[in-house]
Amino acid sequence: MEKYLLEKSLNIKGDVFIEGAKNACLPILAASILSNGNTIIKKVPFLSDINVMCSLLEEIGISIIKDLKNKYIQIDTKNIFNKKVSYDLVKQIRASFLLAGPMLARFGKVSIQMPGGCAIGVRPIDLHLKGFKALGAEILQEHGVIEINAKNRLIGTEIYLDFPSVGATENIIMASVLAKGTTVISNCATEPEIVDLIEFLNKMGAKIEGGGTETIKIKGVDSLNNCEHTIIPDRIEAGTFLVLGAATKGELNILDVNCEHLKAVTSKLREINVDIEEKDNKIFVSGKNIFKNVDIKTMPYPGFPTDMQPQFMSLMAIGNGTSIINETIFENRFMHASELGLMGANIKIEGSSAIINGVEKITGAKVKATDLRAGAALIIAGLCAEGISEISDIYHIERGYYNIEEKLKKIGAKIRKIKE
Ligand code: EPZ
């Protein structure tokens, strides 16, 4: 089993180049099912999740050529066919369910295993299915498999999402781009990753308006072409390094970012009294000041992102005073609190809130990454703790952070990977 060993690394310094966004690349790869001809996707973060999605596409006949050095993928769907993709791939990433919408649109029917939940919550797909049904599809769920059948062509309609689900918004957009007539999705998610997916689809000939707002209108077309697209920067990777620079009292230049996408994160860091300077696609962060305690409530975009909640918990764990984090998106996204507790953090969980009483110092311990962002939080804590920390189950971390060990070493963090 691979583990990270970390030692206290204060005053880290240097440049960090941010990758393309995992959570934009995954739906865009799924949407390539709707393309015809050669499509090129640039600034691809070749993470394990991306590689699993590519394997799923190859299972339905799509040819994928990866250029790891130049970080792009060439996709050709000329030999595409409809089949149920294998469960051992589906169960590795929840984003596999994003195949449902485009396969339903292209083939008129799809059979796919339920993606199942994960550490942070049950992760239901009822809103995805509500959208497919509204578009005219019949749905049969049994033995963990979902059969979705659009007898004839899907028909555009009005859909209201009870919650602005990112995945449901993406799946319904992809299902409706080839429907007969117009679809209007209300109360939809407005995340930048959805805007990127819409830009990709419109480049291929889709007619989608309202990306980034709570109402998206999709005028059905008969077919889509191919295109060339560059993935937006990963706002969560960027936010993670901003918090890391602050927590370790360091100074970092975070490069190739979209500052607009990080407003909730940078304004919260400024509230804490972290120095943040934004210029073009660069953010400078310095953690030299004395920090204040702040409260955080996670919300759908443009509110404070749930994917940054664990990292902020590590930042607030050291210091004096009390911070409260209210996690409103996922029902079980505080597992990192007990791991931080092993390092001496003083954190109490009360329902959907975590009460963090800052301590003077935390100490290195053997801890376990329970999910992607929790793992990132433990790296931040391990680089601030006295003594050596050992993080296991680091596959979670490497799902979402490309080349993180090298990137950390380059800025002076004492981290190394061991195999046991
Ligand atoms: C996406 O997950 C991201 N994943 C998550 O990032 C992110 O945390 C989440 O959006 C929220 O921003 C990808 O984009 C691949 P949701 P998704 O549907 O689409 C409930 C990471 O760390 N819900 O917006 O699954 C659900 O239970 C990952 O990179 C329903 O009730 O999130 C949850 O409470 C973790 N019914 C809430 O909505 C549904 O049909 C948000 O889920 C769908 C969702």
Side-chain angles (χ1 to χ4, degrees), residues 22-23 123-127 165-167 307 329-330 372-373:
K22 164 180 84 83
N23 291 351
R123 314 291 292 272
I125 52 169
D126 57 308
L127 296 175
S165 154
V166 171
D307 292 347
I329 306 294
F330 289 109
L372 167 56
R373 310 303 172 183

Side-chain angles (χ1 to χ4, degrees), residues 114-135:
M114 299 271 285
C118 69
I120 61 177
V122 170
R123 314 291 292 272
I125 52 169
D126 57 308
L127 296 175
H128 301 239
L129 301 181
K130 173 181 179 180
F132 296 152
K133 270 188 206 143
L135 287 163

Side-chain angles (χ1 to χ4, degrees), residues 233-249:
D234 193 318
R235 60 194 168 98
I236 305 301
E237 183 195 16
T240 302
F241 277 100
L242 285 172
V243 172
L244 176 72
T248 56
K249 305 291 174 202

Side-chain angles (χ1 to χ4, degrees), residues 20-36 39-45 49-50 53-54 57 62 64 72-77 93 95-99 102-103 166-167 169-171 173-174 177 191-204 208 224-233:
K22 164 180 84 83
N23 291 351
C25 193
L26 288 167
I28 282 171
L29 283 170
S32 69
I33 287 170
L34 296 163
S35 68
N36 288 294
T39 291
I40 306 273
I41 302 174
K42 295 181 174 177
K43 215 170 162 56
V44 173
D49 277 17
I50 300 297
M53 182 60 90
C54 287
L57 296 179
I62 293 177
I64 301 257
Y72 79 76
I73 288 180
Q74 183 173 316
I75 289 168
D76 190 345
T77 60
I93 57 168
S96 52
F97 197 65
L98 291 175
L99 295 179
M103 287 181 76
V166 171
T169 303
E170 291 166 345
N171 238 339
I173 288 171
M174 293 189 282
V177 285
E191 272 72 359
E193 292 76 25
I194 290 171
V195 176
D196 208 28
L197 169 66
I198 289 171
E199 192 180 317
F200 176 73
L201 287 165
N202 282 344
K203 278 183 184 173
M204 294 201 294
I208 308 169
L224 295 180
N225 310 309
N226 57 332
C227 76
E228 193 170 298
H229 184 76
T230 301
I231 302 287
I232 55 169

Side-chain angles (χ1 to χ4, degrees), residues 372-387:
L372 167 56
R373 310 303 172 183
L378 293 175
I379 285 182
I380 292 169
L383 296 174
C384 298
E386 304 296 334

Side-chain angles (χ1 to χ4, degrees), residues 119-120 236 240 306-311 313-314 332-340 343 367-382 391-393 396-397 401:
I120 61 177
I236 305 301
T240 302
T306 175
D307 292 347
M308 284 300 304
Q309 175 262 106
Q311 301 90 316
M313 189 181 283
S314 291
N332 187 33
R333 197 171 201 170
F334 284 142
M335 282 158 301
H336 42 287
S338 50
E339 300 302 310
L340 292 171
M343 302 172 81
V367 292
K368 184 194 279 270
T370 48
D371 68 86
L372 167 56
R373 310 303 172 183
L378 293 175
I379 285 182
I380 292 169
I391 304 177
S392 56
D393 286 0
H396 285 296
I397 301 170
Y401 292 93

